[in-house]
Amino acid sequence: MSTSRTATRATTGHRTHTVVDSPVGPLTLVATDGVLAGLYMRDQRHRPPQETFGEPDPDTEPFGEVAAQLEAYFDGRLQTFDLPLAPAGTAFQERVWAQLCAIPYGETRSYGQLADRLGAPGASRAVGLANGRNPIGIIIPCHRVVGAGGGLTGYGGGLPRKRFLLDLEQGVRRLA
């Protein structure tokens, strides 16, 4: 994925988590074997149960670097994350998430455009479902996907957070 140094498939392994503050509320970071596997917002749709996050451990790799890059992103100093990631999903979901990483900072794409890029022009709903299951929100930028007419559509973290992230990337800083 273009927002990371490496992408590995991780479905099992030693899991740890921590919570960091952000302008969109607390973010739960989950690592599998020391590689970021999850970033979840409070009240996020499709958020896994807390007991699957592993033991709390703020000192585990990669939490320090993830927190530093998230802070730089929210301060407007970082446009591309450079982190190893381990999102776990189906082969189709992982292809969609890779396409999300290819959407440039400050730009958006529609579900249909992503489906076209995947060579599956009739699969915009499947792309939407995969987008909604993105386990590493913000860093894998699912917030950059909009409806066919450019309007905001569903976002697992809620539309006010999606608007905030899009505004941040377009230079407008406010939380709706």
Side-chain angles (χ1 to χ4, degrees), residues 8-61:
T8 56
R9 191 177 177 124
T11 55
T12 61
H14 180 70
R15 292 174 67 89
T16 57
H17 77 277
T18 193
V19 178
V20 297
D21 290 326
S22 83
V24 294
L27 301 174
T28 300
L29 307 177
V30 179
T32 301
D33 296 329
V35 179
L36 188 67
L39 184 157
Y40 303 101
M41 298 174 203
R42 180 179 289 153
D43 302 323
Q44 178 175 330
R45 192 174 349 141
H46 305 301
R47 179 184 167 112
Q50 184 75 23
E51 58 270 14
T52 67
F53 295 162
E55 62 198 55
D57 186 358
D59 298 323
T60 298
E61 287 296 323

mmCIF file of all heavy atoms in Angstrom, residues 8-61:
data_model
loop_
_atom_site.group_PDB
_atom_site.id
_atom_site.type_symbol
_atom_site.label_atom_id
_atom_site.label_comp_id
_atom_site.label_asym_id
_atom_site.label_seq_id
_atom_site.Cartn_x
_atom_site.Cartn_y
_atom_site.Cartn_z
ATOM 1 N N THR A 8 1.682 -6.335 5.311
ATOM 2 C CA THR A 8 1.686 -7.758 5.559
ATOM 3 C C THR A 8 0.295 -8.187 5.961
ATOM 4 O O THR A 8 -0.464 -7.415 6.529
ATOM 5 C CB THR A 8 2.676 -8.127 6.682
ATOM 6 O OG1 THR A 8 2.350 -7.370 7.846
ATOM 7 C CG2 THR A 8 4.107 -7.846 6.275
ATOM 8 N N ARG A 9 -0.017 -9.405 5.653
ATOM 9 C CA ARG A 9 -1.327 -9.935 5.997
ATOM 10 C C ARG A 9 -1.239 -10.560 7.375
ATOM 11 O O ARG A 9 -0.459 -11.469 7.589
ATOM 12 C CB ARG A 9 -1.728 -10.956 4.947
ATOM 13 C CG ARG A 9 -3.138 -11.375 5.038
ATOM 14 C CD ARG A 9 -3.419 -12.331 3.899
ATOM 15 N NE ARG A 9 -4.763 -12.792 4.038
ATOM 16 C CZ ARG A 9 -5.666 -12.683 3.092
ATOM 17 N NH1 ARG A 9 -5.344 -12.179 1.942
ATOM 18 N NH2 ARG A 9 -6.880 -13.114 3.288
ATOM 19 N N ALA A 10 -2.029 -10.063 8.310
ATOM 20 C CA ALA A 10 -1.987 -10.579 9.672
ATOM 21 C C ALA A 10 -3.394 -10.850 10.169
ATOM 22 O O ALA A 10 -4.198 -9.942 10.246
ATOM 23 C CB ALA A 10 -1.299 -9.593 10.596
ATOM 24 N N THR A 11 -3.671 -12.081 10.462
ATOM 25 C CA THR A 11 -4.973 -12.416 11.022
ATOM 26 C C THR A 11 -4.838 -12.962 12.431
ATOM 27 O O THR A 11 -5.796 -12.971 13.186
ATOM 28 C CB THR A 11 -5.711 -13.437 10.142
ATOM 29 O OG1 THR A 11 -4.871 -14.583 9.971
ATOM 30 C CG2 THR A 11 -6.059 -12.841 8.804
ATOM 31 N N THR A 12 -3.649 -13.439 12.787
ATOM 32 C CA THR A 12 -3.409 -13.947 14.127
ATOM 33 C C THR A 12 -2.058 -13.439 14.586
ATOM 34 O O THR A 12 -1.259 -12.946 13.808
ATOM 35 C CB THR A 12 -3.423 -15.487 14.148
ATOM 36 O OG1 THR A 12 -2.388 -15.960 13.298
ATOM 37 C CG2 THR A 12 -4.759 -16.044 13.714
ATOM 38 N N GLY A 13 -1.789 -13.601 15.855
ATOM 39 C CA GLY A 13 -0.522 -13.168 16.416
ATOM 40 C C GLY A 13 -0.765 -12.454 17.727
ATOM 41 O O GLY A 13 -1.899 -12.296 18.180
ATOM 42 N N HIS A 14 0.308 -12.008 18.332
ATOM 43 C CA HIS A 14 0.224 -11.295 19.607
ATOM 44 C C HIS A 14 -0.320 -9.895 19.369
ATOM 45 O O HIS A 14 0.253 -9.113 18.619
ATOM 46 C CB HIS A 14 1.610 -11.234 20.262
ATOM 47 C CG HIS A 14 1.598 -10.518 21.563
ATOM 48 N ND1 HIS A 14 0.996 -11.035 22.693
ATOM 49 C CD2 HIS A 14 2.097 -9.308 21.921
ATOM 50 C CE1 HIS A 14 1.127 -10.183 23.686
ATOM 51 N NE2 HIS A 14 1.783 -9.119 23.243
ATOM 52 N N ARG A 15 -1.440 -9.590 20.009
ATOM 53 C CA ARG A 15 -2.095 -8.298 19.803
ATOM 54 C C ARG A 15 -1.995 -7.448 21.065
ATOM 55 O O ARG A 15 -2.178 -7.929 22.168
ATOM 56 C CB ARG A 15 -3.544 -8.501 19.395
ATOM 57 C CG ARG A 15 -3.638 -9.110 18.004
ATOM 58 C CD ARG A 15 -5.051 -9.468 17.605
ATOM 59 N NE ARG A 15 -5.939 -8.345 17.418
ATOM 60 C CZ ARG A 15 -6.120 -7.671 16.276
ATOM 61 N NH1 ARG A 15 -5.432 -8.008 15.215
ATOM 62 N NH2 ARG A 15 -6.969 -6.689 16.195
ATOM 63 N N THR A 16 -1.705 -6.166 20.841
ATOM 64 C CA THR A 16 -1.679 -5.173 21.902
ATOM 65 C C THR A 16 -2.392 -3.932 21.390
ATOM 66 O O THR A 16 -2.617 -3.781 20.185
ATOM 67 C CB THR A 16 -0.234 -4.807 22.297
ATOM 68 O OG1 THR A 16 0.457 -4.351 21.133
ATOM 69 C CG2 THR A 16 0.495 -6.001 22.901
ATOM 70 N N HIS A 17 -2.766 -3.057 22.316
ATOM 71 C CA HIS A 17 -3.439 -1.829 21.889
ATOM 72 C C HIS A 17 -3.122 -0.679 22.838
ATOM 73 O O HIS A 17 -2.651 -0.884 23.954
ATOM 74 C CB HIS A 17 -4.952 -2.046 21.775
ATOM 75 C CG HIS A 17 -5.657 -2.071 23.104
ATOM 76 N ND1 HIS A 17 -5.725 -3.188 23.894
ATOM 77 C CD2 HIS A 17 -6.317 -1.101 23.775
ATOM 78 C CE1 HIS A 17 -6.413 -2.920 25.000
ATOM 79 N NE2 HIS A 17 -6.777 -1.655 24.956
ATOM 80 N N THR A 18 -3.405 0.510 22.347
ATOM 81 C CA THR A 18 -3.340 1.716 23.152
ATOM 82 C C THR A 18 -4.370 2.690 22.595
ATOM 83 O O THR A 18 -4.910 2.481 21.511
ATOM 84 C CB THR A 18 -1.913 2.333 23.140
ATOM 85 O OG1 THR A 18 -1.830 3.315 24.180
ATOM 86 C CG2 THR A 18 -1.580 2.973 21.803
ATOM 87 N N VAL A 19 -4.627 3.738 23.338
ATOM 88 C CA VAL A 19 -5.566 4.779 22.905
ATOM 89 C C VAL A 19 -4.812 6.103 22.884
ATOM 90 O O VAL A 19 -4.097 6.437 23.830
ATOM 91 C CB VAL A 19 -6.787 4.859 23.850
ATOM 92 C CG1 VAL A 19 -7.730 5.982 23.419
ATOM 93 C CG2 VAL A 19 -7.525 3.526 23.893
ATOM 94 N N VAL A 20 -4.964 6.840 21.777
ATOM 95 C CA VAL A 20 -4.354 8.162 21.653
ATOM 96 C C VAL A 20 -5.453 9.190 21.405
ATOM 97 O O VAL A 20 -6.493 8.878 20.819
ATOM 98 C CB VAL A 20 -3.301 8.219 20.518
ATOM 99 C CG1 VAL A 20 -2.142 7.271 20.805
ATOM 100 C CG2 VAL A 20 -3.908 7.911 19.162
ATOM 101 N N ASP A 21 -5.225 10.396 21.853
ATOM 102 C CA ASP A 21 -6.176 11.480 21.617
ATOM 103 C C ASP A 21 -5.966 12.045 20.221
ATOM 104 O O ASP A 21 -4.867 11.998 19.668
ATOM 105 C CB ASP A 21 -5.990 12.597 22.640
ATOM 106 C CG ASP A 21 -6.437 12.177 24.029
ATOM 107 O OD1 ASP A 21 -7.407 11.406 24.135
ATOM 108 O OD2 ASP A 21 -5.813 12.627 25.004
ATOM 109 N N SER A 22 -7.045 12.581 19.647
ATOM 110 C CA SER A 22 -6.971 13.227 18.343
ATOM 111 C C SER A 22 -8.096 14.246 18.247
ATOM 112 O O SER A 22 -9.029 14.225 19.053
ATOM 113 C CB SER A 22 -7.115 12.184 17.224
ATOM 114 O OG SER A 22 -8.478 11.889 16.983
ATOM 115 N N PRO A 23 -8.057 15.110 17.246
ATOM 116 C CA PRO A 23 -9.147 16.070 17.049
ATOM 117 C C PRO A 23 -10.494 15.418 16.719
ATOM 118 O O PRO A 23 -11.522 16.075 16.826
ATOM 119 C CB PRO A 23 -8.663 16.924 15.871
ATOM 120 C CG PRO A 23 -7.185 16.788 15.888
ATOM 121 C CD PRO A 23 -6.927 15.390 16.367
ATOM 122 N N VAL A 24 -10.492 14.141 16.318
ATOM 123 C CA VAL A 24 -11.754 13.447 16.025
ATOM 124 C C VAL A 24 -12.130 12.498 17.155
ATOM 125 O O VAL A 24 -12.971 11.627 16.990
ATOM 126 C CB VAL A 24 -11.708 12.702 14.663
ATOM 127 C CG1 VAL A 24 -11.604 13.685 13.515
ATOM 128 C CG2 VAL A 24 -10.596 11.665 14.629
ATOM 129 N N GLY A 25 -11.508 12.684 18.311
ATOM 130 C CA GLY A 25 -11.798 11.858 19.473
ATOM 131 C C GLY A 25 -10.725 10.798 19.674
ATOM 132 O O GLY A 25 -9.770 10.700 18.906
ATOM 133 N N PRO A 26 -10.897 9.996 20.724
ATOM 134 C CA PRO A 26 -9.906 8.965 21.014
ATOM 135 C C PRO A 26 -9.812 7.958 19.868
ATOM 136 O O PRO A 26 -10.822 7.565 19.286
ATOM 137 C CB PRO A 26 -10.440 8.281 22.274
ATOM 138 C CG PRO A 26 -11.526 9.143 22.796
ATOM 139 C CD PRO A 26 -12.000 10.006 21.681
ATOM 140 N N LEU A 27 -8.577 7.558 19.561
ATOM 141 C CA LEU A 27 -8.328 6.549 18.536
ATOM 142 C C LEU A 27 -7.681 5.341 19.202
ATOM 143 O O LEU A 27 -6.672 5.483 19.896
ATOM 144 C CB LEU A 27 -7.398 7.093 17.450
ATOM 145 C CG LEU A 27 -7.864 8.337 16.703
ATOM 146 C CD1 LEU A 27 -6.770 8.833 15.752
ATOM 147 C CD2 LEU A 27 -9.159 8.062 15.961
ATOM 148 N N THR A 28 -8.260 4.176 18.997
ATOM 149 C CA THR A 28 -7.680 2.949 19.519
ATOM 150 C C THR A 28 -6.770 2.367 18.444
ATOM 151 O O THR A 28 -7.221 2.095 17.325
ATOM 152 C CB THR A 28 -8.772 1.929 19.895
ATOM 153 O OG1 THR A 28 -9.607 2.511 20.897
ATOM 154 C CG2 THR A 28 -8.158 0.645 20.430
ATOM 155 N N LEU A 29 -5.497 2.216 18.780
ATOM 156 C CA LEU A 29 -4.509 1.642 17.877
ATOM 157 C C LEU A 29 -4.279 0.196 18.300
ATOM 158 O O LEU A 29 -4.080 -0.083 19.488
ATOM 159 C CB LEU A 29 -3.195 2.413 17.957
ATOM 160 C CG LEU A 29 -3.267 3.925 17.768
ATOM 161 C CD1 LEU A 29 -1.886 4.544 17.956
ATOM 162 C CD2 LEU A 29 -3.841 4.269 16.412
ATOM 163 N N VAL A 30 -4.304 -0.713 17.343
ATOM 164 C CA VAL A 30 -4.116 -2.135 17.617
ATOM 165 C C VAL A 30 -2.940 -2.625 16.785
ATOM 166 O O VAL A 30 -2.864 -2.350 15.586
ATOM 167 C CB VAL A 30 -5.382 -2.946 17.259
ATOM 168 C CG1 VAL A 30 -5.174 -4.431 17.533
ATOM 169 C CG2 VAL A 30 -6.598 -2.423 18.028
ATOM 170 N N ALA A 31 -2.025 -3.337 17.441
ATOM 171 C CA ALA A 31 -0.885 -3.918 16.733
ATOM 172 C C ALA A 31 -0.953 -5.437 16.822
ATOM 173 O O ALA A 31 -1.371 -5.992 17.838
ATOM 174 C CB ALA A 31 0.431 -3.431 17.330
ATOM 175 N N THR A 32 -0.554 -6.078 15.738
ATOM 176 C CA THR A 32 -0.382 -7.523 15.719
ATOM 177 C C THR A 32 1.099 -7.777 15.491
ATOM 178 O O THR A 32 1.658 -7.342 14.476
ATOM 179 C CB THR A 32 -1.217 -8.178 14.602
ATOM 180 O OG1 THR A 32 -2.600 -7.871 14.806
ATOM 181 C CG2 THR A 32 -1.036 -9.690 14.594
ATOM 182 N N ASP A 33 1.720 -8.441 16.460
ATOM 183 C CA ASP A 33 3.162 -8.702 16.391
ATOM 184 C C ASP A 33 3.961 -7.432 16.093
ATOM 185 O O ASP A 33 4.904 -7.442 15.298
ATOM 186 C CB ASP A 33 3.469 -9.801 15.366
ATOM 187 C CG ASP A 33 2.870 -11.140 15.761
ATOM 188 O OD1 ASP A 33 2.749 -11.402 16.980
ATOM 189 O OD2 ASP A 33 2.510 -11.930 14.865
ATOM 190 N N GLY A 34 3.552 -6.314 16.713
ATOM 191 C CA GLY A 34 4.301 -5.074 16.594
ATOM 192 C C GLY A 34 4.055 -4.273 15.332
ATOM 193 O O GLY A 34 4.746 -3.292 15.083
ATOM 194 N N VAL A 35 3.063 -4.652 14.518
ATOM 195 C CA VAL A 35 2.740 -3.935 13.280
ATOM 196 C C VAL A 35 1.296 -3.448 13.380
ATOM 197 O O VAL A 35 0.404 -4.203 13.789
ATOM 198 C CB VAL A 35 2.930 -4.838 12.040
ATOM 199 C CG1 VAL A 35 2.568 -4.091 10.763
ATOM 200 C CG2 VAL A 35 4.358 -5.360 11.966
ATOM 201 N N LEU A 36 1.046 -2.198 12.994
ATOM 202 C CA LEU A 36 -0.291 -1.626 13.095
ATOM 203 C C LEU A 36 -1.291 -2.443 12.278
ATOM 204 O O LEU A 36 -1.133 -2.602 11.071
ATOM 205 C CB LEU A 36 -0.299 -0.169 12.623
ATOM 206 C CG LEU A 36 -1.614 0.570 12.861
ATOM 207 C CD1 LEU A 36 -1.881 0.755 14.358
ATOM 208 C CD2 LEU A 36 -1.605 1.921 12.155
ATOM 209 N N ALA A 37 -2.324 -2.948 12.955
ATOM 210 C CA ALA A 37 -3.357 -3.762 12.314
ATOM 211 C C ALA A 37 -4.735 -3.132 12.437
ATOM 212 O O ALA A 37 -5.680 -3.555 11.769
ATOM 213 C CB ALA A 37 -3.375 -5.167 12.920
ATOM 214 N N GLY A 38 -4.868 -2.109 13.285
ATOM 215 C CA GLY A 38 -6.167 -1.480 13.467
ATOM 216 C C GLY A 38 -6.044 -0.067 13.990
ATOM 217 O O GLY A 38 -5.123 0.251 14.754
ATOM 218 N N LEU A 39 -6.946 0.784 13.541
ATOM 219 C CA LEU A 39 -7.109 2.136 14.058
ATOM 220 C C LEU A 39 -8.606 2.375 14.063
ATOM 221 O O LEU A 39 -9.235 2.414 13.006
ATOM 222 C CB LEU A 39 -6.401 3.169 13.180
ATOM 223 C CG LEU A 39 -6.428 4.611 13.690
ATOM 224 C CD1 LEU A 39 -5.274 5.403 13.101
ATOM 225 C CD2 LEU A 39 -7.742 5.316 13.406
ATOM 226 N N TYR A 40 -9.169 2.472 15.262
ATOM 227 C CA TYR A 40 -10.617 2.554 15.399
ATOM 228 C C TYR A 40 -11.030 3.781 16.192
ATOM 229 O O TYR A 40 -10.401 4.135 17.190
ATOM 230 C CB TYR A 40 -11.157 1.299 16.090
ATOM 231 C CG TYR A 40 -10.790 0.034 15.356
ATOM 232 C CD1 TYR A 40 -9.744 -0.771 15.790
ATOM 233 C CD2 TYR A 40 -11.470 -0.336 14.204
ATOM 234 C CE1 TYR A 40 -9.394 -1.924 15.108
ATOM 235 C CE2 TYR A 40 -11.125 -1.485 13.517
ATOM 236 C CZ TYR A 40 -10.092 -2.274 13.970
ATOM 237 O OH TYR A 40 -9.738 -3.416 13.284
ATOM 238 N N MET A 41 -12.127 4.406 15.745
ATOM 239 C CA MET A 41 -12.703 5.556 16.431
ATOM 240 C C MET A 41 -13.771 5.071 17.401
ATOM 241 O O MET A 41 -14.331 3.991 17.228
ATOM 242 C CB MET A 41 -13.339 6.496 15.406
ATOM 243 C CG MET A 41 -12.352 7.045 14.417
ATOM 244 S SD MET A 41 -13.185 8.004 13.127
ATOM 245 C CE MET A 41 -11.956 7.902 11.845
ATOM 246 N N ARG A 42 -14.051 5.909 18.384
ATOM 247 C CA ARG A 42 -15.139 5.598 19.310
ATOM 248 C C ARG A 42 -16.450 5.541 18.517
ATOM 249 O O ARG A 42 -16.667 6.338 17.614
ATOM 250 C CB ARG A 42 -15.227 6.677 20.387
ATOM 251 C CG ARG A 42 -16.344 6.402 21.382
ATOM 252 C CD ARG A 42 -16.423 7.440 22.437
ATOM 253 N NE ARG A 42 -15.276 7.298 23.323
ATOM 254 C CZ ARG A 42 -14.751 8.300 24.021
ATOM 255 N NH1 ARG A 42 -15.244 9.501 23.929
ATOM 256 N NH2 ARG A 42 -13.727 8.090 24.818
ATOM 257 N N ASP A 43 -17.289 4.587 18.836
ATOM 258 C CA ASP A 43 -18.602 4.410 18.197
ATOM 259 C C ASP A 43 -18.500 4.146 16.699
ATOM 260 O O ASP A 43 -19.445 4.421 15.959
ATOM 261 C CB ASP A 43 -19.510 5.624 18.437
ATOM 262 C CG ASP A 43 -19.729 5.892 19.914
ATOM 263 O OD1 ASP A 43 -19.841 4.910 20.680
ATOM 264 O OD2 ASP A 43 -19.775 7.066 20.305
ATOM 265 N N GLN A 44 -17.385 3.615 16.248
ATOM 266 C CA GLN A 44 -17.210 3.326 14.825
ATOM 267 C C GLN A 44 -18.027 2.096 14.434
ATOM 268 O O GLN A 44 -18.034 1.094 15.148
ATOM 269 C CB GLN A 44 -15.725 3.077 14.540
ATOM 270 C CG GLN A 44 -15.448 2.714 13.101
ATOM 271 C CD GLN A 44 -13.955 2.607 12.828
ATOM 272 O OE1 GLN A 44 -13.158 3.287 13.452
ATOM 273 N NE2 GLN A 44 -13.593 1.747 11.901
ATOM 274 N N ARG A 45 -18.689 2.198 13.309
ATOM 275 C CA ARG A 45 -19.387 1.050 12.752
ATOM 276 C C ARG A 45 -18.352 -0.011 12.399
ATOM 277 O O ARG A 45 -17.265 0.312 11.934
ATOM 278 C CB ARG A 45 -20.161 1.475 11.497
ATOM 279 C CG ARG A 45 -21.131 0.463 10.996
ATOM 280 C CD ARG A 45 -21.963 0.993 9.837
ATOM 281 N NE ARG A 45 -21.815 2.427 9.642
ATOM 282 C CZ ARG A 45 -21.762 3.012 8.458
ATOM 283 N NH1 ARG A 45 -21.841 2.331 7.366
ATOM 284 N NH2 ARG A 45 -21.632 4.319 8.369
ATOM 285 N N HIS A 46 -18.654 -1.253 12.609
ATOM 286 C CA HIS A 46 -17.766 -2.390 12.328
ATOM 287 C C HIS A 46 -16.516 -2.402 13.210
ATOM 288 O O HIS A 46 -15.530 -3.035 12.864
ATOM 289 C CB HIS A 46 -17.363 -2.458 10.850
ATOM 290 C CG HIS A 46 -18.511 -2.478 9.911
ATOM 291 N ND1 HIS A 46 -19.471 -3.459 9.942
ATOM 292 C CD2 HIS A 46 -18.869 -1.625 8.923
ATOM 293 C CE1 HIS A 46 -20.382 -3.213 9.005
ATOM 294 N NE2 HIS A 46 -20.036 -2.102 8.382
ATOM 295 N N ARG A 47 -16.584 -1.718 14.341
ATOM 296 C CA ARG A 47 -15.469 -1.770 15.292
ATOM 297 C C ARG A 47 -15.492 -3.146 15.949
ATOM 298 O O ARG A 47 -16.520 -3.566 16.472
ATOM 299 C CB ARG A 47 -15.638 -0.678 16.345
ATOM 300 C CG ARG A 47 -14.557 -0.656 17.404
ATOM 301 C CD ARG A 47 -14.879 0.404 18.459
ATOM 302 N NE ARG A 47 -14.058 0.254 19.640
ATOM 303 C CZ ARG A 47 -13.123 1.118 20.006
ATOM 304 N NH1 ARG A 47 -12.913 2.212 19.292
ATOM 305 N NH2 ARG A 47 -12.418 0.915 21.094
ATOM 306 N N PRO A 48 -14.369 -3.864 15.929
ATOM 307 C CA PRO A 48 -14.346 -5.184 16.568
ATOM 308 C C PRO A 48 -14.550 -5.060 18.080
ATOM 309 O O PRO A 48 -14.322 -3.998 18.664
ATOM 310 C CB PRO A 48 -12.939 -5.706 16.260
ATOM 311 C CG PRO A 48 -12.431 -4.868 15.150
ATOM 312 C CD PRO A 48 -13.104 -3.540 15.287
ATOM 313 N N PRO A 49 -14.937 -6.149 18.723
ATOM 314 C CA PRO A 49 -15.090 -6.111 20.181
ATOM 315 C C PRO A 49 -13.763 -5.782 20.873
ATOM 316 O O PRO A 49 -12.690 -6.206 20.424
ATOM 317 C CB PRO A 49 -15.542 -7.535 20.535
ATOM 318 C CG PRO A 49 -16.023 -8.132 19.257
ATOM 319 C CD PRO A 49 -15.295 -7.436 18.150
ATOM 320 N N GLN A 50 -13.835 -5.031 21.941
ATOM 321 C CA GLN A 50 -12.654 -4.588 22.689
ATOM 322 C C GLN A 50 -11.748 -5.766 23.067
ATOM 323 O O GLN A 50 -10.530 -5.644 23.023
ATOM 324 C CB GLN A 50 -13.110 -3.839 23.954
ATOM 325 C CG GLN A 50 -11.995 -3.245 24.768
ATOM 326 C CD GLN A 50 -11.393 -2.005 24.154
ATOM 327 O OE1 GLN A 50 -12.021 -1.326 23.353
ATOM 328 N NE2 GLN A 50 -10.169 -1.702 24.530
ATOM 329 N N GLU A 51 -12.342 -6.899 23.400
ATOM 330 C CA GLU A 51 -11.528 -8.031 23.848
ATOM 331 C C GLU A 51 -10.628 -8.602 22.746
ATOM 332 O O GLU A 51 -9.692 -9.337 23.022
ATOM 333 C CB GLU A 51 -12.392 -9.135 24.467
ATOM 334 C CG GLU A 51 -13.452 -9.707 23.571
ATOM 335 C CD GLU A 51 -14.802 -8.999 23.654
ATOM 336 O OE1 GLU A 51 -14.885 -7.877 24.214
ATOM 337 O OE2 GLU A 51 -15.775 -9.561 23.128
ATOM 338 N N THR A 52 -10.874 -8.237 21.499
ATOM 339 C CA THR A 52 -10.016 -8.716 20.402
ATOM 340 C C THR A 52 -8.777 -7.835 20.213
ATOM 341 O O THR A 52 -7.904 -8.184 19.415
ATOM 342 C CB THR A 52 -10.790 -8.770 19.069
ATOM 343 O OG1 THR A 52 -11.127 -7.440 18.662
ATOM 344 C CG2 THR A 52 -12.037 -9.631 19.172
ATOM 345 N N PHE A 53 -8.683 -6.729 20.933
ATOM 346 C CA PHE A 53 -7.580 -5.787 20.764
ATOM 347 C C PHE A 53 -6.302 -6.208 21.488
ATOM 348 O O PHE A 53 -5.256 -5.610 21.284
ATOM 349 C CB PHE A 53 -7.969 -4.389 21.234
ATOM 350 C CG PHE A 53 -9.049 -3.737 20.427
ATOM 351 C CD1 PHE A 53 -9.744 -2.668 20.946
ATOM 352 C CD2 PHE A 53 -9.374 -4.169 19.150
ATOM 353 C CE1 PHE A 53 -10.747 -2.035 20.211
ATOM 354 C CE2 PHE A 53 -10.366 -3.553 18.409
ATOM 355 C CZ PHE A 53 -11.051 -2.488 18.941
ATOM 356 N N GLY A 54 -6.383 -7.213 22.333
ATOM 357 C CA GLY A 54 -5.216 -7.640 23.083
ATOM 358 C C GLY A 54 -5.004 -6.778 24.309
ATOM 359 O O GLY A 54 -5.824 -5.931 24.655
ATOM 360 N N GLU A 55 -3.876 -6.998 24.939
ATOM 361 C CA GLU A 55 -3.581 -6.292 26.187
ATOM 362 C C GLU A 55 -3.217 -4.840 25.918
ATOM 363 O O GLU A 55 -2.655 -4.518 24.869
ATOM 364 C CB GLU A 55 -2.435 -6.996 26.913
ATOM 365 C CG GLU A 55 -1.148 -6.994 26.112
ATOM 366 C CD GLU A 55 -0.132 -8.020 26.571
ATOM 367 O OE1 GLU A 55 -0.476 -9.206 26.636
ATOM 368 O OE2 GLU A 55 0.997 -7.602 26.863
ATOM 369 N N PRO A 56 -3.544 -3.945 26.861
ATOM 370 C CA PRO A 56 -3.135 -2.552 26.695
ATOM 371 C C PRO A 56 -1.621 -2.442 26.890
ATOM 372 O O PRO A 56 -1.070 -2.997 27.829
ATOM 373 C CB PRO A 56 -3.879 -1.805 27.794
ATOM 374 C CG PRO A 56 -4.553 -2.815 28.638
ATOM 375 C CD PRO A 56 -4.356 -4.167 28.038
ATOM 376 N N ASP A 57 -0.952 -1.762 25.978
ATOM 377 C CA ASP A 57 0.495 -1.610 26.066
ATOM 378 C C ASP A 57 0.935 -0.437 25.200
ATOM 379 O O ASP A 57 1.259 -0.611 24.029
ATOM 380 C CB ASP A 57 1.207 -2.883 25.627
ATOM 381 C CG ASP A 57 2.711 -2.817 25.830
ATOM 382 O OD1 ASP A 57 3.231 -1.774 26.287
ATOM 383 O OD2 ASP A 57 3.375 -3.818 25.526
ATOM 384 N N PRO A 58 0.949 0.769 25.755
ATOM 385 C CA PRO A 58 1.310 1.945 24.951
ATOM 386 C C PRO A 58 2.760 1.950 24.485
ATOM 387 O O PRO A 58 3.114 2.707 23.587
ATOM 388 C CB PRO A 58 1.035 3.118 25.889
ATOM 389 C CG PRO A 58 1.098 2.535 27.263
ATOM 390 C CD PRO A 58 0.642 1.099 27.131
ATOM 391 N N ASP A 59 3.611 1.104 25.076
ATOM 392 C CA ASP A 59 5.025 1.095 24.707
ATOM 393 C C ASP A 59 5.346 0.127 23.575
ATOM 394 O O ASP A 59 6.475 0.081 23.094
ATOM 395 C CB ASP A 59 5.882 0.746 25.930
ATOM 396 C CG ASP A 59 5.729 1.789 27.030
ATOM 397 O OD1 ASP A 59 5.610 2.987 26.685
ATOM 398 O OD2 ASP A 59 5.706 1.399 28.205
ATOM 399 N N THR A 60 4.367 -0.638 23.132
ATOM 400 C CA THR A 60 4.589 -1.601 22.056
ATOM 401 C C THR A 60 4.851 -0.875 20.747
ATOM 402 O O THR A 60 4.250 0.149 20.456
ATOM 403 C CB THR A 60 3.345 -2.502 21.892
ATOM 404 O OG1 THR A 60 3.154 -3.225 23.099
ATOM 405 C CG2 THR A 60 3.494 -3.484 20.752
ATOM 406 N N GLU A 61 5.752 -1.441 19.951
ATOM 407 C CA GLU A 61 5.920 -0.950 18.582
ATOM 408 C C GLU A 61 4.623 -1.238 17.859
ATOM 409 O O GLU A 61 4.019 -2.273 18.113
ATOM 410 C CB GLU A 61 7.079 -1.678 17.893
ATOM 411 C CG GLU A 61 8.438 -1.264 18.399
ATOM 412 C CD GLU A 61 8.762 0.191 18.113
ATOM 413 O OE1 GLU A 61 8.380 0.700 17.047
ATOM 414 O OE2 GLU A 61 9.374 0.811 18.973
#
